[in-house]
Amino acid sequence: MAFVEEIKKGIRLLGVDFGLKRIGVSVCDSEWILASPLPVIYTKSMRSSIDAVAVTAKNQSVGGIVVGLPLNLDGSESVQSGRVRAFSKNLERVTGIKTVLFDERLTTVEANELLLQAGVTKSADRAKLIDSMSAKVILQSYIDNNKNSEKNHG
């Protein structure tokens, strides 16, 4: 059964942009309309990353987690893709919350554009916000992709 079929609307989702030093997180409303960024999580290890995201998931009362999967532009996997797969699998095991991997290619580019449009021009300010904005883009793209597939299949 597909993730979207297992996790019904009415349940909030958490978006995650995993990094080795910072993890961007976002959350959407229970109707899966709008994703909003949350404060970035600073981390030092895979275990602390899993624990911190697990706490965020609990605090936000989410029923599903969308983790951005970094792929090369040609669609092939990178070293970071393997790390993200391990993170996602362990996060699901620790939290008991279903996770799904979602292609995150070009989300950082889109997140940078959104920040520039919002008037965040200093690179130091953008650096503080980019990871959570990327998580927002990942989650919003997932939501929008599922709306489109509902229209095509509904």
Side-chain angles (χ1 to χ4, degrees):
M1 186 179 286
F3 175 82
V4 75
E5 293 165 353
E6 288 181 35
I7 306 300
K8 300 295 182 198
K9 288 188 181 172
I11 303 282
R12 292 162 41 110
L13 298 176
L14 189 74
V16 178
D17 182 27
F18 175 79
L20 297 177
K21 294 180 182 176
R22 291 181 313 271
I23 299 172
V25 286
S26 63
V27 68
C28 73
D29 58 287
S30 61
E31 297 303 312
W32 294 16
I33 295 170
L34 184 64
S36 302
L38 296 171
V40 70
I41 297 170
Y42 292 90
T43 185
K44 294 184 188 304
S45 69
M46 180 69 82
R47 183 67 213 199
S48 69
S49 298
I50 291 166
D51 290 344
V53 174
V55 167
T56 301
K58 181 180 179 189
N59 291 343
Q60 294 294 325
S61 302
V62 301
I65 303 172
V66 179
V67 180
L69 180 64
L71 299 172
N72 295 316
L73 288 178
D74 66 2
S76 63
E77 295 211 5
S78 64
V79 173
Q80 185 67 356
S81 303
R83 289 185 188 114
V84 168
R85 286 185 181 282
F87 168 81
S88 179
K89 181 179 176 183
N90 286 313
L91 181 63
E92 186 171 314
R93 186 177 48 77
V94 167
T95 63
I97 299 171
K98 184 77 177 148
T99 64
V100 65
L101 296 169
F102 189 74
D103 183 355
E104 70 168 36
R105 280 179 284 181
L106 303 177
T107 55
T108 302
V109 173
E110 187 176 340
N112 257 317
E113 285 296 316
L114 289 170
L115 290 172
L116 286 171
Q117 289 171 12
V120 181
T121 55
K122 286 186 185 175
S123 61
D125 292 338
R126 275 202 319 273
K128 292 178 191 172
L129 301 170
I130 194 67
D131 298 299
S132 287
M133 190 59 77
S134 292
K136 174 200 179 305
V137 171
I138 290 165
L139 184 53
Q140 191 67 54
S141 297
Y142 178 82
I143 291 167
D144 293 346
N145 186 61
N146 280 292
K147 280 183 199 163
N148 291 337
S149 75
E150 281 177 10
K151 286 179 189 170
N152 295 335
H153 296 95

